[in-house]
Amino acid sequence: MNPALAYLDAAQAILERIRTTQLDALERAADICANSIAQGGLVHLFGTGHSRIPVEEIFPRHGSFPGFHPIVELSLTYHNPVVGANGQRQAMFLEHVEGLGEVILRNFVLAPPDSFLIFSHSGVNEVVVEVALGAKRRELPVIAVLSLEHCLATPPRHSSGKRLPDIADVTIDNGTPGGDALVTIDGLSDPVGPGSTIGAVAVANALKCLVADRLTRLGQPPLVLTSSFFVGIEVAARRFEACYDEYRARIRRVYGCTERRQ
Protein backbone atom coordinates (compact mmCIF):
# COMPACT_ATOMS: atom_id res chain seq x y z
CA MET A 1 0.00 0.00 0.00
CA ASN A 2 1.05 3.58 -0.61
CA PRO A 3 2.63 4.73 2.69
CA ALA A 4 0.69 7.99 2.68
CA LEU A 5 -2.58 6.11 2.36
CA ALA A 6 -1.45 3.68 5.06
CA TYR A 7 -0.89 6.60 7.40
CA LEU A 8 -4.23 8.22 6.56
CA ASP A 9 -6.03 4.93 7.12
CA ALA A 10 -4.32 4.49 10.47
CA ALA A 11 -5.17 8.08 11.44
CA GLN A 12 -8.79 7.51 10.48
CA ALA A 13 -8.81 4.39 12.65
CA ILE A 14 -7.64 6.49 15.62
CA LEU A 15 -10.54 8.90 15.13
CA GLU A 16 -13.01 6.06 14.77
CA ARG A 17 -11.68 4.46 17.96
CA ILE A 18 -12.21 7.71 19.85
CA ARG A 19 -15.68 8.11 18.33
CA THR A 20 -16.83 4.61 19.28
CA THR A 21 -15.20 4.19 22.70
CA GLN A 22 -14.52 7.57 24.32
CA LEU A 23 -17.77 9.57 24.19
CA ASP A 24 -18.72 8.71 27.76
CA ALA A 25 -15.30 9.77 29.06
CA LEU A 26 -15.50 12.96 27.00
CA GLU A 27 -18.91 13.77 28.46
CA ARG A 28 -17.66 13.26 32.02
CA ALA A 29 -14.60 15.39 31.32
CA ALA A 30 -16.82 18.12 29.86
CA ASP A 31 -18.90 18.15 33.05
CA ILE A 32 -15.74 18.80 35.08
CA CYS A 33 -14.45 21.53 32.76
CA ALA A 34 -17.79 23.32 32.41
CA ASN A 35 -18.28 23.26 36.17
CA SER A 36 -14.88 24.92 36.69
CA ILE A 37 -15.43 27.62 34.08
CA ALA A 38 -19.07 28.34 35.02
CA GLN A 39 -17.99 29.01 38.61
CA GLY A 40 -15.33 31.49 37.53
CA GLY A 41 -12.49 28.98 37.79
CA LEU A 42 -10.00 27.63 35.30
CA VAL A 43 -9.17 24.39 33.58
CA HIS A 44 -5.38 24.21 33.80
CA LEU A 45 -3.74 22.48 30.84
CA PHE A 46 -0.40 20.70 31.04
CA GLY A 47 1.76 18.49 28.88
CA THR A 48 5.46 17.85 28.35
CA GLY A 49 7.30 17.24 25.10
CA HIS A 50 5.06 17.22 22.06
CA SER A 51 2.04 17.09 24.35
CA ARG A 52 2.27 20.88 24.42
CA ILE A 53 0.55 20.73 21.00
CA PRO A 54 -2.95 19.81 22.29
CA VAL A 55 -2.45 22.23 25.21
CA GLU A 56 -2.04 25.12 22.78
CA GLU A 57 -4.78 23.72 20.54
CA ILE A 58 -7.33 24.32 23.28
CA PHE A 59 -6.51 28.00 23.91
CA PRO A 60 -5.80 30.48 22.44
CA ARG A 61 -6.83 29.97 18.81
CA HIS A 62 -9.85 30.49 16.60
CA GLY A 63 -12.88 28.64 17.90
CA SER A 64 -11.64 28.66 21.50
CA PHE A 65 -12.63 30.68 24.54
CA PRO A 66 -11.35 31.83 27.96
CA GLY A 67 -11.58 29.49 30.91
CA PHE A 68 -8.67 27.28 29.91
CA HIS A 69 -5.19 28.07 31.27
CA PRO A 70 -2.32 26.60 29.20
CA ILE A 71 0.81 25.85 31.22
CA VAL A 72 3.70 25.32 28.79
CA GLU A 73 7.04 24.88 30.53
CA LEU A 74 9.66 25.73 27.92
CA SER A 75 12.36 23.63 29.57
CA LEU A 76 10.18 20.59 28.85
CA THR A 77 8.77 21.54 25.46
CA TYR A 78 11.20 23.75 23.52
CA HIS A 79 12.34 21.18 20.99
CA ASN A 80 13.21 23.04 17.82
CA PRO A 81 16.93 23.63 18.62
CA VAL A 82 17.20 19.79 18.86
CA VAL A 83 20.85 19.91 20.00
CA GLY A 84 22.93 22.51 21.84
CA ALA A 85 21.47 24.90 24.38
CA ASN A 86 17.79 24.13 25.11
CA GLY A 87 18.13 20.89 23.19
CA GLN A 88 16.00 17.79 23.08
CA ARG A 89 18.33 15.80 25.33
CA GLN A 90 17.82 18.27 28.17
CA ALA A 91 14.05 18.34 27.76
CA MET A 92 13.79 14.55 27.74
CA PHE A 93 16.04 14.35 30.79
CA LEU A 94 13.94 16.85 32.71
CA GLU A 95 10.73 14.90 32.03
CA HIS A 96 12.11 12.27 34.42
CA VAL A 97 13.22 14.55 37.25
CA GLU A 98 11.04 14.08 40.30
CA GLY A 99 10.39 17.31 42.14
CA LEU A 100 10.16 19.46 39.00
CA GLY A 101 6.39 19.02 38.72
CA GLU A 102 5.83 20.43 42.19
CA VAL A 103 8.22 23.30 41.49
CA ILE A 104 6.10 24.19 38.44
CA LEU A 105 2.83 24.03 40.40
CA ARG A 106 4.31 26.21 43.16
CA ASN A 107 4.16 29.17 40.77
CA PHE A 108 0.36 29.20 40.81
CA VAL A 109 -2.46 29.63 43.30
CA LEU A 110 -4.50 26.49 42.64
CA ALA A 111 -7.82 25.85 44.37
CA PRO A 112 -11.36 24.70 43.62
CA PRO A 113 -13.36 25.21 41.47
CA ASP A 114 -10.35 24.77 39.17
CA SER A 115 -9.53 21.50 37.45
CA PHE A 116 -6.57 20.00 35.57
CA LEU A 117 -6.38 18.52 32.07
CA ILE A 118 -3.10 16.68 31.44
CA PHE A 119 -1.92 15.36 28.07
CA SER A 120 0.72 12.62 27.86
CA HIS A 121 1.06 9.83 25.33
CA SER A 122 2.67 7.38 27.76
CA GLY A 123 1.11 8.61 31.01
CA VAL A 124 4.10 7.42 33.05
CA ASN A 125 6.81 10.08 32.95
CA GLU A 126 7.68 11.50 36.33
CA VAL A 127 6.79 15.15 35.78
CA VAL A 128 3.26 14.57 34.46
CA VAL A 129 2.51 12.07 37.21
CA GLU A 130 3.81 14.53 39.80
CA VAL A 131 1.67 17.35 38.39
CA ALA A 132 -1.39 15.10 38.60
CA LEU A 133 -0.58 14.13 42.18
CA GLY A 134 -0.06 17.79 43.08
CA ALA A 135 -3.38 18.77 41.55
CA LYS A 136 -5.16 16.07 43.56
CA ARG A 137 -3.46 17.22 46.77
CA ARG A 138 -4.92 20.64 46.04
CA GLU A 139 -8.37 19.03 45.71
CA LEU A 140 -8.67 19.62 41.96
CA PRO A 141 -10.23 17.02 39.68
CA VAL A 142 -7.83 15.65 37.08
CA ILE A 143 -8.54 14.59 33.50
CA ALA A 144 -5.85 12.59 31.68
CA VAL A 145 -5.56 12.15 27.91
CA LEU A 146 -3.17 9.38 26.86
CA SER A 147 -2.73 6.17 24.93
CA LEU A 148 -4.15 3.49 27.19
CA GLU A 149 -2.48 0.74 25.18
CA HIS A 150 0.92 2.37 25.54
CA CYS A 151 0.41 3.39 29.16
CA LEU A 152 -0.75 0.05 30.49
CA ALA A 153 2.11 -1.77 28.74
CA THR A 154 4.72 0.56 30.28
CA PRO A 155 6.03 0.15 33.85
CA PRO A 156 5.43 3.13 36.18
CA ARG A 157 8.43 5.42 36.47
CA HIS A 158 7.39 7.70 39.33
CA SER A 159 8.43 6.60 42.81
CA SER A 160 4.75 6.50 43.82
CA GLY A 161 4.31 3.53 41.51
CA LYS A 162 1.42 5.31 39.80
CA ARG A 163 0.55 6.03 36.21
CA LEU A 164 -1.79 8.86 35.19
CA PRO A 165 -4.90 6.62 35.03
CA ASP A 166 -4.28 5.65 38.67
CA ILE A 167 -4.64 9.32 39.64
CA ALA A 168 -7.09 10.86 37.19
CA ASP A 169 -10.81 11.23 37.86
CA VAL A 170 -11.41 10.74 34.13
CA THR A 171 -9.06 9.09 31.63
CA ILE A 172 -9.58 9.62 27.90
CA ASP A 173 -7.82 7.27 25.50
CA ASN A 174 -6.26 9.13 22.56
CA GLY A 175 -6.84 6.01 20.48
CA THR A 176 -3.23 5.63 19.37
CA PRO A 177 -1.52 2.21 19.37
CA GLY A 178 1.43 1.61 21.65
CA GLY A 179 4.69 2.97 20.30
CA ASP A 180 2.87 5.80 18.48
CA ALA A 181 4.37 5.34 14.99
CA LEU A 182 1.78 3.89 12.61
CA VAL A 183 3.33 2.87 9.28
CA THR A 184 5.69 0.03 8.42
CA ILE A 185 7.82 0.50 5.30
CA ASP A 186 9.19 -2.48 3.40
CA GLY A 187 12.94 -2.67 4.01
CA LEU A 188 12.83 -0.23 6.95
CA SER A 189 13.08 -1.82 10.38
CA ASP A 190 11.36 0.96 12.34
CA PRO A 191 7.78 2.23 11.88
CA VAL A 192 7.25 5.89 10.99
CA GLY A 193 4.42 8.42 11.17
CA PRO A 194 3.33 9.09 14.78
CA GLY A 195 -0.40 9.34 15.43
CA SER A 196 -0.75 10.57 19.00
CA THR A 197 -1.02 14.23 17.99
CA ILE A 198 -4.03 13.43 15.82
CA GLY A 199 -5.73 11.60 18.66
CA ALA A 200 -4.88 14.18 21.33
CA VAL A 201 -5.94 17.16 19.21
CA ALA A 202 -9.17 15.43 18.23
CA VAL A 203 -9.93 14.83 21.91
CA ALA A 204 -9.02 18.45 22.75
CA ASN A 205 -11.40 19.92 20.19
CA ALA A 206 -14.23 17.46 20.83
CA LEU A 207 -13.99 18.30 24.52
CA LYS A 208 -13.90 22.03 23.78
CA CYS A 209 -17.13 21.73 21.78
CA LEU A 210 -18.85 19.82 24.58
CA VAL A 211 -17.80 22.44 27.13
CA ALA A 212 -19.08 25.27 24.93
CA ASP A 213 -22.43 23.49 24.65
CA ARG A 214 -22.70 23.01 28.41
CA LEU A 215 -21.80 26.61 29.19
CA THR A 216 -24.33 27.87 26.66
CA ARG A 217 -27.08 25.70 28.12
CA LEU A 218 -26.17 27.06 31.57
CA GLY A 219 -26.84 30.57 30.30
CA GLN A 220 -23.12 31.40 30.18
CA PRO A 221 -22.24 31.23 26.48
CA PRO A 222 -18.47 31.54 26.11
CA LEU A 223 -16.78 34.51 24.46
CA VAL A 224 -15.24 32.85 21.42
CA LEU A 225 -12.14 33.91 19.52
CA THR A 226 -13.84 34.12 16.15
CA SER A 227 -12.26 34.40 12.71
CA SER A 228 -12.89 37.46 10.57
CA PHE A 229 -14.13 34.96 7.98
CA PHE A 230 -17.33 34.69 10.05
CA VAL A 231 -17.77 38.17 11.53
CA GLY A 232 -15.58 40.57 9.55
CA ILE A 233 -12.27 42.18 10.42
CA GLU A 234 -13.54 44.86 12.82
CA VAL A 235 -15.78 42.59 14.88
CA ALA A 236 -13.09 39.90 15.01
CA ALA A 237 -10.54 42.45 16.27
CA ARG A 238 -12.90 43.64 19.02
CA ARG A 239 -13.69 40.05 19.95
CA PHE A 240 -10.00 39.23 20.28
CA GLU A 241 -9.46 42.14 22.65
CA ALA A 242 -12.51 41.17 24.71
CA CYS A 243 -11.38 37.53 24.91
CA TYR A 244 -7.88 38.47 26.00
CA ASP A 245 -9.30 40.85 28.61
CA GLU A 246 -11.55 38.11 29.99
CA TYR A 247 -8.65 35.67 30.03
CA ARG A 248 -6.48 38.17 31.91
CA ALA A 249 -9.23 38.72 34.47
CA ARG A 250 -9.67 34.97 34.98
CA ILE A 251 -5.99 34.14 35.44
CA ARG A 252 -5.07 36.99 37.80
CA ARG A 253 -6.07 34.90 40.80
CA VAL A 254 -3.77 31.99 39.94
CA TYR A 255 -0.83 34.38 39.79
CA GLY A 256 -1.70 35.79 43.21
CA CYS A 257 -3.28 38.96 41.84
CA THR A 258 -6.74 40.45 42.22
CA GLU A 259 -8.68 42.14 39.47
CA ARG A 260 -9.08 45.91 39.82
CA ARG A 261 -12.06 47.74 38.44
CA GLN A 262 -11.17 50.12 35.62
Side-chain angles (χ1 to χ4, degrees), residues 9 25 32 38 49 62 75 92 99 119 121 130 133 144 155 157 161 183 185 190 210 231 242 249 252 255-256:
D9 286 347
I32 292 171
H62 286 135
S75 64
M92 294 180 69
F119 293 90
H121 180 66
E130 190 166 67
L133 290 169
R157 293 173 177 165
V183 177
I185 306 293
D190 300 306
L210 286 171
V231 296
R252 287 177 70 89
Y255 288 93

Side-chain angles (χ1 to χ4, degrees), residues 24-37 115 143 207 210-211 214 217-218:
D24 178 66
L26 280 163
E27 296 281 1
R28 289 185 286 121
D31 287 340
I32 292 171
C33 296
N35 180 67
S36 292
I37 296 172
S115 53
I143 303 159
L207 179 60
L210 286 171
V211 174
R214 278 162 169 71
R217 288 192 281 114
L218 286 170

